[in-house]
mmCIF file of all heavy atoms in Angstrom:
data_model
loop_
_atom_site.group_PDB
_atom_site.id
_atom_site.type_symbol
_atom_site.label_atom_id
_atom_site.label_comp_id
_atom_site.label_asym_id
_atom_site.label_seq_id
_atom_site.Cartn_x
_atom_site.Cartn_y
_atom_site.Cartn_z
ATOM 1 N N ILE A 1 0.862 -1.214 -0.035
ATOM 2 C CA ILE A 1 0.057 0.011 -0.006
ATOM 3 C C ILE A 1 0.907 1.180 -0.032
ATOM 4 O O ILE A 1 0.653 2.235 -0.669
ATOM 5 C CB ILE A 1 -0.891 0.078 1.172
ATOM 6 C CG1 ILE A 1 -2.001 -1.171 1.001
ATOM 7 C CG2 ILE A 1 -1.594 1.293 1.379
ATOM 8 C CD1 ILE A 1 -2.767 -1.389 2.323
ATOM 9 N N ALA A 2 1.917 1.226 0.887
ATOM 10 C CA ALA A 2 2.810 2.295 0.907
ATOM 11 C C ALA A 2 3.482 2.573 -0.508
ATOM 12 O O ALA A 2 3.584 3.685 -0.923
ATOM 13 C CB ALA A 2 3.966 2.162 1.915
ATOM 14 N N GLU A 3 3.933 1.579 -1.127
ATOM 15 C CA GLU A 3 4.519 1.664 -2.469
ATOM 16 C C GLU A 3 3.567 2.281 -3.530
ATOM 17 O O GLU A 3 3.872 3.248 -4.195
ATOM 18 C CB GLU A 3 5.029 0.424 -2.882
ATOM 19 C CG GLU A 3 5.810 0.578 -4.265
ATOM 20 C CD GLU A 3 6.541 -0.723 -4.647
ATOM 21 O OE1 GLU A 3 7.306 -1.256 -3.892
ATOM 22 O OE2 GLU A 3 6.264 -1.213 -5.777
ATOM 23 N N ALA A 4 2.335 1.718 -3.449
ATOM 24 C CA ALA A 4 1.332 2.312 -4.322
ATOM 25 C C ALA A 4 0.926 3.797 -4.015
ATOM 26 O O ALA A 4 0.668 4.441 -5.002
ATOM 27 C CB ALA A 4 0.077 1.390 -4.233
ATOM 28 N N LEU A 5 1.060 4.225 -2.805
ATOM 29 C CA LEU A 5 0.739 5.587 -2.502
ATOM 30 C C LEU A 5 2.030 6.394 -2.635
ATOM 31 O O LEU A 5 1.940 7.727 -2.597
ATOM 32 C CB LEU A 5 0.255 5.598 -1.006
ATOM 33 C CG LEU A 5 -1.039 5.103 -0.643
ATOM 34 C CD1 LEU A 5 -1.318 5.123 0.847
ATOM 35 C CD2 LEU A 5 -2.140 5.679 -1.402
ATOM 36 N N GLY A 6 3.211 5.822 -2.893
ATOM 37 C CA GLY A 6 4.365 6.650 -3.032
ATOM 38 C C GLY A 6 4.802 7.273 -1.778
ATOM 39 O O GLY A 6 5.358 8.345 -1.692
ATOM 40 N N THR A 7 4.729 6.482 -0.640
ATOM 41 C CA THR A 7 5.010 7.016 0.661
ATOM 42 C C THR A 7 5.704 5.869 1.606
ATOM 43 O O THR A 7 5.957 4.808 1.091
ATOM 44 C CB THR A 7 3.759 7.640 1.312
ATOM 45 O OG1 THR A 7 4.241 8.271 2.517
ATOM 46 C CG2 THR A 7 2.855 6.610 1.701
ATOM 47 N N THR A 8 6.040 6.199 2.762
ATOM 48 C CA THR A 8 6.570 5.148 3.719
ATOM 49 C C THR A 8 5.491 4.400 4.298
ATOM 50 O O THR A 8 4.242 4.777 4.315
ATOM 51 C CB THR A 8 7.320 5.883 4.785
ATOM 52 O OG1 THR A 8 6.382 6.728 5.653
ATOM 53 C CG2 THR A 8 8.444 6.783 4.233
ATOM 54 N N GLU A 9 5.873 3.155 4.895
ATOM 55 C CA GLU A 9 4.856 2.388 5.560
ATOM 56 C C GLU A 9 4.239 3.098 6.734
ATOM 57 O O GLU A 9 2.973 3.098 6.903
ATOM 58 C CB GLU A 9 5.492 1.048 6.000
ATOM 59 C CG GLU A 9 5.767 0.139 4.858
ATOM 60 C CD GLU A 9 6.250 -1.245 5.351
ATOM 61 O OE1 GLU A 9 5.586 -1.870 6.261
ATOM 62 O OE2 GLU A 9 7.361 -1.757 4.940
ATOM 63 N N LYS A 10 5.083 3.845 7.516
ATOM 64 C CA LYS A 10 4.444 4.614 8.621
ATOM 65 C C LYS A 10 3.475 5.546 8.047
ATOM 66 O O LYS A 10 2.407 5.692 8.702
ATOM 67 C CB LYS A 10 5.701 5.236 9.361
ATOM 68 C CG LYS A 10 5.249 6.043 10.531
ATOM 69 C CD LYS A 10 6.413 6.619 11.255
ATOM 70 C CE LYS A 10 6.067 7.436 12.436
ATOM 71 N NZ LYS A 10 7.159 8.123 13.046
ATOM 72 N N ALA A 11 3.888 6.397 7.094
ATOM 73 C CA ALA A 11 2.852 7.266 6.495
ATOM 74 C C ALA A 11 1.608 6.552 5.973
ATOM 75 O O ALA A 11 0.437 7.133 6.081
ATOM 76 C CB ALA A 11 3.507 8.182 5.496
ATOM 77 N N ALA A 12 1.816 5.499 5.313
ATOM 78 C CA ALA A 12 0.613 4.827 4.799
ATOM 79 C C ALA A 12 -0.236 4.350 5.918
ATOM 80 O O ALA A 12 -1.606 4.460 5.841
ATOM 81 C CB ALA A 12 1.018 3.624 3.979
ATOM 82 N N ARG A 13 0.268 3.769 6.941
ATOM 83 C CA ARG A 13 -0.550 3.330 8.139
ATOM 84 C C ARG A 13 -1.271 4.451 8.764
ATOM 85 O O ARG A 13 -2.450 4.456 9.012
ATOM 86 C CB ARG A 13 0.266 2.648 9.312
ATOM 87 C CG ARG A 13 0.636 1.228 8.893
ATOM 88 C CD ARG A 13 1.285 0.505 10.114
ATOM 89 N NE ARG A 13 2.535 1.133 10.419
ATOM 90 C CZ ARG A 13 3.689 0.830 10.050
ATOM 91 N NH1 ARG A 13 3.773 -0.092 9.066
ATOM 92 N NH2 ARG A 13 4.732 1.396 10.489
ATOM 93 N N ALA A 14 -0.543 5.674 8.866
ATOM 94 C CA ALA A 14 -1.182 6.869 9.392
ATOM 95 C C ALA A 14 -2.375 7.317 8.507
ATOM 96 O O ALA A 14 -3.440 7.754 8.949
ATOM 97 C CB ALA A 14 -0.101 7.971 9.542
ATOM 98 N N ARG A 15 -2.100 7.312 7.154
ATOM 99 C CA ARG A 15 -3.240 7.678 6.196
ATOM 100 C C ARG A 15 -4.435 6.816 6.362
ATOM 101 O O ARG A 15 -5.601 7.182 6.344
ATOM 102 C CB ARG A 15 -2.759 7.742 4.851
ATOM 103 C CG ARG A 15 -3.754 8.456 3.882
ATOM 104 C CD ARG A 15 -3.209 8.559 2.456
ATOM 105 N NE ARG A 15 -2.015 9.388 2.525
ATOM 106 C CZ ARG A 15 -1.472 9.627 1.319
ATOM 107 N NH1 ARG A 15 -1.795 9.215 0.223
ATOM 108 N NH2 ARG A 15 -0.260 10.436 1.337
ATOM 109 N N LEU A 16 -4.149 5.485 6.406
ATOM 110 C CA LEU A 16 -5.269 4.461 6.615
ATOM 111 C C LEU A 16 -5.985 4.783 7.905
ATOM 112 O O LEU A 16 -7.298 4.693 7.855
ATOM 113 C CB LEU A 16 -4.737 3.113 6.574
ATOM 114 C CG LEU A 16 -4.235 2.487 5.265
ATOM 115 C CD1 LEU A 16 -3.476 1.213 5.395
ATOM 116 C CD2 LEU A 16 -5.430 2.350 4.280
ATOM 117 N N ARG A 17 -5.353 4.963 8.956
ATOM 118 C CA ARG A 17 -6.014 5.220 10.200
ATOM 119 C C ARG A 17 -6.800 6.433 10.155
ATOM 120 O O ARG A 17 -7.881 6.595 10.708
ATOM 121 C CB ARG A 17 -5.011 5.302 11.400
ATOM 122 C CG ARG A 17 -4.588 3.985 11.884
ATOM 123 C CD ARG A 17 -3.890 4.075 13.205
ATOM 124 N NE ARG A 17 -2.753 5.115 13.186
ATOM 125 C CZ ARG A 17 -1.422 4.641 12.746
ATOM 126 N NH1 ARG A 17 -1.215 3.442 12.432
ATOM 127 N NH2 ARG A 17 -0.495 5.567 12.801
ATOM 128 N N HIS A 18 -6.261 7.469 9.593
ATOM 129 C CA HIS A 18 -6.900 8.814 9.508
ATOM 130 C C HIS A 18 -8.378 8.673 8.766
ATOM 131 O O HIS A 18 -9.260 9.157 9.219
ATOM 132 C CB HIS A 18 -6.009 9.850 8.769
ATOM 133 C CG HIS A 18 -6.693 11.088 8.459
ATOM 134 N ND1 HIS A 18 -7.009 12.127 9.195
ATOM 135 C CD2 HIS A 18 -7.241 11.493 7.193
ATOM 136 C CE1 HIS A 18 -7.624 13.116 8.675
ATOM 137 N NE2 HIS A 18 -7.789 12.729 7.403
ATOM 138 N N TYR A 19 -8.171 7.928 7.634
ATOM 139 C CA TYR A 19 -9.489 7.903 6.845
ATOM 140 C C TYR A 19 -10.390 6.795 7.391
ATOM 141 O O TYR A 19 -11.579 7.003 7.284
ATOM 142 C CB TYR A 19 -9.166 7.562 5.341
ATOM 143 C CG TYR A 19 -8.646 8.819 4.627
ATOM 144 C CD1 TYR A 19 -7.303 8.818 4.175
ATOM 145 C CD2 TYR A 19 -9.395 9.863 4.483
ATOM 146 C CE1 TYR A 19 -6.903 9.994 3.543
ATOM 147 C CE2 TYR A 19 -8.876 11.020 3.839
ATOM 148 C CZ TYR A 19 -7.704 11.096 3.355
ATOM 149 O OH TYR A 19 -7.133 12.164 2.759
ATOM 150 N N GLU A 20 -9.836 5.853 8.003
ATOM 151 C CA GLU A 20 -10.711 4.736 8.649
ATOM 152 C C GLU A 20 -11.709 5.466 9.681
ATOM 153 O O GLU A 20 -12.778 4.977 9.907
ATOM 154 C CB GLU A 20 -9.959 3.615 9.313
ATOM 155 C CG GLU A 20 -9.429 2.706 8.175
ATOM 156 C CD GLU A 20 -8.427 1.608 8.839
ATOM 157 O OE1 GLU A 20 -8.050 1.842 10.067
ATOM 158 O OE2 GLU A 20 -8.239 0.633 8.290
ATOM 159 N N HIS A 21 -11.136 6.419 10.340
ATOM 160 C CA HIS A 21 -11.945 7.014 11.499
ATOM 161 C C HIS A 21 -12.398 8.487 11.221
ATOM 162 O O HIS A 21 -12.920 9.089 11.977
ATOM 163 C CB HIS A 21 -11.046 7.043 12.664
ATOM 164 C CG HIS A 21 -10.472 5.684 13.081
ATOM 165 N ND1 HIS A 21 -11.295 4.718 13.597
ATOM 166 C CD2 HIS A 21 -9.273 5.208 13.049
ATOM 167 C CE1 HIS A 21 -10.514 3.671 13.756
ATOM 168 N NE2 HIS A 21 -9.320 3.887 13.410
ATOM 169 N N LEU A 22 -12.400 8.928 9.825
ATOM 170 C CA LEU A 22 -12.841 10.096 9.603
ATOM 171 C C LEU A 22 -14.389 10.091 9.477
ATOM 172 O O LEU A 22 -14.964 9.218 8.978
ATOM 173 C CB LEU A 22 -12.326 10.581 8.144
ATOM 174 C CG LEU A 22 -12.611 11.897 7.640
ATOM 175 C CD1 LEU A 22 -11.789 12.928 8.502
ATOM 176 C CD2 LEU A 22 -12.144 11.918 6.221
ATOM 177 N N THR A 23 -15.014 11.114 10.036
ATOM 178 C CA THR A 23 -16.404 11.210 10.019
ATOM 179 C C THR A 23 -16.791 12.745 9.614
ATOM 180 O O THR A 23 -16.050 13.576 9.615
ATOM 181 C CB THR A 23 -17.117 11.070 11.376
ATOM 182 O OG1 THR A 23 -16.582 12.034 12.310
ATOM 183 C CG2 THR A 23 -16.937 9.680 11.881
ATOM 184 N N TRP A 24 -17.965 12.889 8.848
ATOM 185 C CA TRP A 24 -18.331 14.158 8.463
ATOM 186 C C TRP A 24 -19.701 14.401 9.029
ATOM 187 O O TRP A 24 -20.647 13.557 8.948
ATOM 188 C CB TRP A 24 -18.516 13.980 6.848
ATOM 189 C CG TRP A 24 -19.014 15.282 6.361
ATOM 190 C CD1 TRP A 24 -20.222 15.438 5.774
ATOM 191 C CD2 TRP A 24 -18.272 16.568 6.215
ATOM 192 N NE1 TRP A 24 -20.393 16.788 5.301
ATOM 193 C CE2 TRP A 24 -19.238 17.495 5.569
ATOM 194 C CE3 TRP A 24 -16.988 16.956 6.571
ATOM 195 C CZ2 TRP A 24 -18.917 18.860 5.443
ATOM 196 C CZ3 TRP A 24 -16.806 18.277 6.354
ATOM 197 C CH2 TRP A 24 -17.725 19.157 5.777
#
């Protein structure tokens, strides 16, 4: 996932967590 996003694993995990818990 990190490679596909063009980022580090740490940043990819953070992005996944951010969006998994995002509410509008």
Side-chain angles (χ1 to χ4, degrees):
I1 294 170
E3 183 172 305
L5 293 174
T7 191
T8 64
E9 285 187 52
K10 181 179 177 181
R13 280 192 299 276
R15 189 176 300 181
L16 286 169
R17 277 193 308 274
H18 169 76
Y19 285 114
E20 283 174 345
H21 303 292
L22 187 66
T23 58
W24 178 250

